[in-house]
Amino acid sequence: MARNIRKTKHEMPEQLPLERIKNFQEVPYGYSKEIAIEEAKRCLQCKNKPCMKGCPVEIDIPGFINCVAQGDFDKAAEVIKAKNNLPAVSGRVCPYESQCEGECTLKKIGEPVGIGRLERFIADYEREKGVELPKKAKSTGKKVAVVGAGPAGLTCAGDLAKMGYAVTVFEALHAPGGVLMYGIPEFRLPKHIVEAEVDYIKKLGVEINYDVVIGKTITVDELLNEFDAVFIGTGAGLPNWLNVPGENLDGVYSANEFLTRVNMMKAYQFPDYDTPVQIGKRVVTIGAGNVAMDCARTALRLRAKSSFIVYRRSKEEAPARKEELHHAEEEGIKFYFLAAPTRFIGDEQGKVTGMEYIQMKLGEPDESGRRKPIPVPHSESVMQIGTAIVAIGQSPNPLIPHTVKGLQVGKHGNIIADDDGRTSVPGLFAGGDIATGAATVILAMGAGKRAARAIDQYIKSKK
Amino acid sequence: MYPIIEKKVLSENVKLMKIKAPLIANKAQPGQFIILRIDEKGERIPLTIADFDRKKGTITIIFLEVGKTTKQLGTLNVGDSLENFVGPLGMPSEVKKYGTVVCVGGGVGIAPLYPIVKALKETGNYVISVLGAKTKSLLLLEKEIEGFSDEFYIATDDGSKGQKGFVSDVLQQIIEKKKIDLVMAIGPIIMMKVVSDLTRKYNIKTLVSLNPIMVDGTGMCGGCRVSVGGKIRFACVHGPEFDGHQVDFGNLMIRNRRFVRDEGIAIKKHMDEQW
């Protein structure tokens, strides 16, 4: 390493905490062209490309960064889009620190290259300029159905369309994107960006049908009759509960209900939009994953005076990305670590007014490898609250696994599929959270990508 | 888009619409529901299916204008379309031969009872129907339901038609005379609670159809959760029908009042815009 390399990533300018908690606009502004080029020049262009090992969608990372360093942003976009159909999304919500950036050689001397920030820069550059469509393969004359327009389904659909398949996506909700639309808030992933990425998928020739609940409106067996293969990417939509007394009181939401009301139904613009959301002065979110951070930060933007996070383990075990924890702390979210709710307390109208919680201590590691939280006897306290949001994870949506004959389902209700998405039913593929249980957007995208390849192989082998 | 192809005013605040939705009509079963959204800014609301016609590809909905969305829906006419119409959602009624079944419908709850009455009769049950409303003009589908019933009774709060009093009074008289194998009750929460309390004393299996607040209707938001036998159940995927003896109706009433204040704001805005 002869040249003198800057040890830290170039900062991405962002809205100041006290300003941004008053609006729903995106927090970081993104790199300028100049900063992007400077950041790209930090890349060592390692021959063995360790960063690529950490990328579930197999982007040629040094390849696109090299283009950025030379100022050829169009070529950089082409390199990314060859593998990733949704770069403006993954450039915002990927846990880079544990994937591509986690493998970066520069970590030996300082911070890794800001790969996520560069991906985001290129995706935004391309979108603002107008997206060019790649050359499509010749039509295969074969049809594939994709169930669910979330990250797994959209990726699978886009890849199959590029290979020359006629792809029809069936979506239960009235909007595309799945968790990108209903779950992740506007200030972290603006909805017009999701719409633009979906638009690209549609321009590849993918048809999206809304308001169709597979398993109800149309069955999987009907799809298998009509299409050459079917991919299921219906996600982990079913909210988990604490199972403590008072959880059904007025004012206790699942993270899904709270976020769906605010993000997809735009309750933050009520009454211009019809869907309401009620928010108390003091709001507690239970859990410390990315979804919990989204809830606690959304509560502030809905004018909660105080927003708390209660988590039964310590900060080290919190599953949220470091950047999300940091943003939440900056915005004034108060954390109660090593605390677990024991019951919710309501008034005579059935509205939640308090939450009793108990102190925890960490014991031996459990099956997840994290130290198991154990209640400290007689350590209960009560906090006054007006709203509680339960954000302790989701389970696979049960609508499909239970309606398909011969489909092997795991004990958590997940569809059993191999690494390439093959299920126990020929021609039926599955990937993303419906197969793995709740995970990340990028892992779902990777699963969609591998399934697209496996579907191509499957259909070709049938000829 | 889902066109409205027929509209009828059943009483001052109760309207019937037939919506063109062939995929849903093809699969609909008694007891299931749909979710609709009128336009881009609209709320998603569930309505139980009042009838379906597979040949014509239509779903019939009957609704009481009570909130902003149902009031706005009532202003639409044949030729207008709904932005979204999803279904059929929820588990169908378990239609089989029980023996003697009493079907109790109250107010606008009579509408979803109709396809169930029809199916139970066609399956060979002895069907006794009891319809109730505040007053005569609020009764629905009398002729239709009577046509599929072996016995047919009406109760009105003001005595303007049938027996003066509540459906539960009529039900009590029936129970005292006959051995009943199943009671199916759909109506206001308080009616379903009173009916369930009554039949519990006689140990008669009772099913109720719940209509809690929902957003997605596919098991995602948990807004429609109800406590059944002490367990959390989702009306959208596990229901909407549950064992009336196990349902915590008090909690359901609380949860259905969650957004009353916002509803007032939304209705006022809607009324102002009508001017």
Side-chain angles (χ1 to χ4, degrees):
Chain A
M1 277 182 238
R3 65 194 166 107
N4 196 5
I5 292 167
R6 182 188 155 112
K7 290 194 172 58
T8 55
K9 277 186 210 178
H10 287 81
E11 288 297 319
M12 193 160 50
E14 55 186 34
Q15 281 198 73
L16 294 174
L18 286 177
E19 274 306 310
R20 70 193 190 221
I21 59 171
K22 293 179 203 152
N23 65 56
F24 273 84
Q25 282 145 35
E26 195 175 11
V27 171
Y29 296 119
Y31 278 163
S32 64
K33 287 180 185 177
E34 295 73 26
I35 297 180
I37 292 172
E38 283 309 307
E39 181 63 24
K41 285 181 178 164
R42 292 181 64 225
C43 176
L44 298 173
Q45 293 292 319
C46 308
K47 287 259 158 27
N48 58 342
K49 304 183 179 183
C51 47
M52 279 186 69
K53 285 189 214 99
C55 180
V57 292
E58 309 156 10
I59 297 173
D60 177 3
I61 293 166
F64 100 79
I65 292 181
N66 192 32
C67 299
V68 179
Q70 290 169 19
D72 191 348
F73 304 143
D74 293 312
K75 180 78 181 150
E78 202 180 296
V79 172
I80 293 176
K81 279 276 177 76
K83 292 290 182 181
N84 185 355
N85 295 320
L86 313 167
V89 170
S90 53
R92 284 173 166 79
V93 304
C94 249
Y96 337 103
E97 62 275 9
S98 58
Q99 296 178 341
C100 50
E101 295 182 17
E103 308 289 332
C104 180
T105 312
L106 276 188
K107 276 185 80 184
K108 288 173 191 157
I109 61 156
E111 289 182 358
V113 177
I115 301 170
R117 293 171 183 185
L118 289 172
E119 183 187 29
R120 173 195 157 123
F121 166 77
I122 289 299
D124 290 353
Y125 162 85
E126 195 203 20
R127 187 181 62 258
E128 278 153 29
K129 179 174 160 274
V131 176
E132 277 185 36
L133 286 180
K135 276 200 205 109
K136 259 186 284 180
K138 206 172 128 251
S139 168
T140 59
K142 302 284 179 185
K143 299 190 297 179
V144 181
V146 168
V147 184
L154 289 175
T155 301
C156 188
D159 276 13
L160 286 165
K162 286 179 189 167
M163 292 177 204
Y165 289 95
V167 185
T168 309
V169 177
F170 296 94
E171 168 57 47
L173 296 173
H174 59 258
V179 73
L180 308 174
M181 199 61 101
Y182 74 73
I184 304 177
E186 179 77 16
F187 57 84
R188 204 150 74 77
L189 180 62
K191 300 308 147 217
H192 76 269
I193 289 178
V194 180
E195 280 156 15
E197 302 265 72
V198 172
D199 209 43
Y200 169 76
I201 304 279
K202 284 200 271 195
K203 282 188 184 143
L204 292 172
V206 172
E207 185 189 325
I208 305 182
N209 291 330
Y210 301 103
D211 301 335
V212 182
V213 185
I214 300 299
K216 293 286 181 188
T217 321
I218 300 175
T219 64
V220 171
D221 291 325
E222 286 171 310
L223 291 182
L224 284 167
N225 280 334
E226 202 186 319
F227 292 85
D228 295 288
V230 177
F231 174 78
I232 298 174
T234 47
L238 201 72
N240 295 342
W241 299 100
L242 293 157
N243 294 312
V244 299
E247 205 165 13
N248 287 353
L249 286 167
D250 177 4
V252 183
Y253 293 91
S254 73
N256 273 356
E257 182 182 4
F258 181 70
L259 292 173
T260 302
R261 283 181 179 276
V262 178
N263 298 329
M264 194 176 75
M265 305 309 296
K266 299 199 175 2
Y268 66 97
Q269 295 181 52
F270 178 86
D272 187 28
Y273 281 74
D274 289 345
T275 305
V277 70
Q278 280 284 341
I279 194 89
K281 286 198 177 74
R282 293 163 60 87
V283 179
V284 64
T285 301
I286 298 105
N290 291 323
V291 174
M293 300 306 132
D294 286 345
C295 293
R297 296 173 67 195
T298 297
L300 279 183
R301 285 159 174 80
L302 292 170
R303 305 276 185 272
K305 289 239 163 59
S306 315
S307 181
F308 306 95
I309 291 233
V310 166
Y311 180 49
R312 61 194 182 132
R313 301 181 205 248
S314 71
K315 190 174 175 181
E316 284 64 51
E317 289 82 21
R321 290 180 54 208
K322 285 215 174 60
E323 186 182 319
E324 301 307 324
L325 280 166
H326 170 70
H327 275 143
E329 281 172 334
E330 271 190 336
E331 290 174 9
I333 311 281
K334 297 179 192 82
F335 288 81
Y336 286 54
F337 290 110
L338 291 167
T342 44
R343 67 185 172 107
F344 294 98
I345 301 156
D347 62 16
E348 58 277 12
Q349 273 95 46
K351 185 139 183 46
V352 72
T353 55
M355 184 181 82
E356 185 188 81
Y357 61 99
I358 189 166
Q359 287 300 316
M360 309 292 273
K361 61 180 182 189
L362 292 178
E364 296 298 309
D366 62 11
E367 62 273 15
S368 76
R370 296 176 299 179
R371 292 176 66 193
K372 190 185 164 84
I374 305 163
V376 177
H378 313 298
S379 65
E380 289 90 347
S381 326
V382 171
M383 67 195 297
Q384 304 298 314
I385 51 158
T387 303
I389 304 162
V390 181
I392 55 166
Q394 286 96 236
S395 300
N397 193 310
L399 274 181
I400 288 182
H402 294 206
T403 58
V404 186
K405 276 172 242 126
L407 182 62
Q408 275 184 31
V409 177
K411 66 174 176 201
H412 300 293
N414 53 306
I415 295 178
I416 294 180
D418 70 14
D419 204 41
D420 294 325
R422 294 178 198 89
T423 70
S424 56
V425 176
L428 186 61
F429 296 76
D433 286 2
I434 188 68
T436 56
T440 60
V441 167
I442 192 67
L443 287 176
M445 287 167 60
K449 183 164 211 64
R450 291 191 303 277
R453 259 195 308 255
I455 288 168
D456 181 45
Q457 279 168 10
Y458 166 80
I459 292 177
K460 280 180 178 153
S461 73
K462 273 204 311 185
K463 278 179 191 167
Chain B
M1 299 291 271
Y2 305 85
I4 299 165
I5 57 158
E6 197 179 320
K7 179 185 179 182
K8 268 191 215 160
V9 179
L10 300 185
S11 70
E12 196 190 340
N13 293 321
V14 179
K15 286 172 183 158
L16 174 151
M17 280 179 183
K18 288 188 183 174
I19 312 292
K20 186 95 179 167
L23 286 177
I24 306 175
N26 191 36
K27 287 286 159 60
Q29 301 281 344
Q32 290 186 297
F33 67 95
I34 56 90
I35 282 204
L36 66 81
R37 191 176 72 133
I38 296 176
D39 56 31
E40 167 60 28
K41 292 187 173 178
E43 188 171 21
R44 293 169 68 98
I45 63 155
L47 287 172
T48 316
I49 294 169
D51 204 358
F52 49 86
D53 187 328
R54 296 202 206 287
K55 274 200 197 115
K56 290 185 182 143
T58 59
I59 295 285
T60 304
I61 50 171
I62 293 177
F63 55 94
L64 175 69
E65 295 175 356
V66 59
K68 191 261 173 178
T69 302
T70 43
K71 283 182 197 293
Q72 185 187 353
L73 188 59
T75 65
L76 300 183
N77 290 302
V78 172
D80 292 333
S81 288
L82 305 179
E83 183 80 23
N84 304 100
F85 201 76
V86 199
L89 299 168
M91 304 299 287
S93 303
E94 201 183 332
V95 176
K96 61 177 187 184
K97 189 152 182 193
Y98 294 93
T100 303
V101 182
V102 183
C103 295
V104 183
V108 78
I110 296 169
L113 192 67
Y114 171 55
I116 300 172
V117 167
K118 200 157 59 166
L120 286 170
K121 178 66 193 162
E122 282 164 357
T123 324
N125 290 285
Y126 185 85
V127 177
I128 304 171
S129 296
V130 184
L131 306 188
K134 277 196 185 114
T135 186
K136 189 171 82 173
S137 64
L138 295 175
L139 285 162
L140 305 173
L141 304 173
E142 290 162 73
K143 283 209 185 75
E144 289 85 346
I145 289 182
E146 190 174 10
F148 287 98
S149 304
D150 295 284
E151 292 179 39
F152 182 73
Y153 303 93
I154 282 175
T156 48
D157 296 6
D158 62 0
S160 53
K161 190 157 189 188
Q163 184 172 327
K164 183 174 181 339
F166 301 116
V167 285
S168 49
D169 304 335
V170 179
L171 179 61
Q172 169 106 44
Q173 292 153 14
I174 296 169
I175 291 171
E176 282 164 8
K177 276 189 288 193
K178 264 203 171 78
K179 186 189 159 291
I180 307 299
D181 299 295
L182 176 77
V183 171
M184 177 81 221
I186 311 181
I189 299 174
I190 186 69
M191 181 207 96
M192 294 190 284
K193 181 181 183 326
V194 169
V195 165
S196 299
D197 287 345
L198 173 67
T199 57
R200 187 183 290 113
K201 283 191 282 190
Y202 295 94
N203 204 17
I204 302 168
K205 181 178 172 176
T206 299
L207 294 174
V208 293
S209 177
L210 308 183
N211 193 11
I213 295 169
M214 291 183 188
V215 185
D216 63 291
T218 63
M220 199 181 84
C221 80
C224 69
R225 66 191 185 273
V226 285
S227 174
V228 181
K231 287 203 183 97
I232 291 182
R233 307 287 279 164
F234 289 2
C236 67
V237 289
H238 303 125
E241 288 175 15
F242 293 104
D243 179 348
H245 298 157
Q246 304 277 323
V247 171
D248 182 345
F249 289 103
N251 182 248
L252 179 61
M253 281 183 220
I254 287 169
R255 291 192 57 78
N256 267 12
R257 285 199 301 260
R258 289 196 290 154
F259 301 102
V260 168
R261 209 178 65 189
D262 305 288
E263 194 61 62
I265 296 169
I267 289 173
K268 185 174 178 306
K269 180 170 170 279
H270 172 67
M271 292 313 203
D272 290 348
E273 282 166 359
Q274 294 296 297
W275 285 93

